[in-house]
Amino acid sequence: QVQLVESGGGLVQAGGSLRLSCTASGSIFHINVMGWYRQAPGKQRELVASITIGGMTNYADSVKGRFTISRDNGKYTVYLQMNSLRPEDTAVYCCNAGRVGMTYWGKGTLVTVSS
């Protein structure tokens, strides 16, 4: 119904920046909110940031002031600009899209931050 494809992960030094992208296709008109989750080694998956169809955003406390989530005018691409990266940001980042009764996931992109 909805397909999500992420890109932009990689290896960076602490203090560096990356921008993740997520493109959506399919029944995108059913989607109310999109966001980014991450799962670090040995830890459970957590919400990083989300954005609603109206542009309202939400961030985890650990990334406020460093990460910015945004979308394009057509609402088919969502970005996560990550600045001042820290080693503890190392994780697999997965794009998420939600509607009433269903959640969709991308396959994930790896972000590694070296100290």
Side-chain angles (χ1 to χ4, degrees), residues 8-12 18 20 39 41 67 80 82 85-87 89-93 109-113:
L11 173 64
V12 297
L18 284 174
L20 306 183
Q39 187 166 23
F67 292 8
L80 185 67
M82 305 186 295
L85 283 162
R86 305 165 180 168
D89 294 318
T90 295
V92 174
Y93 286 70
T109 185
L110 177 63
V111 172
T112 303
V113 184

Side-chain angles (χ1 to χ4, degrees), residues 2-63:
V2 174
Q3 297 84 46
L4 304 174
V5 179
E6 307 104 325
S7 64
L11 173 64
V12 297
Q13 296 281 95
S17 298
L18 284 174
R19 189 177 76 162
L20 306 183
S21 299
C22 174
T23 58
S25 62
S27 299
I28 191 65
F29 51 87
H30 291 295
I31 300 301
N32 302 120
V33 61
M34 296 184 68
W36 291 92
Y37 285 73
R38 68 185 181 187
Q39 187 166 23
K43 300 178 65 177
Q44 294 196 7
R45 186 172 60 192
E46 64 174 344
L47 174 68
V48 179
S50 64
I51 185 166
T52 69
I53 191 170
M56 297 177 59
T57 58
N58 185 49
Y59 297 93
D61 288 341
S62 61
V63 307

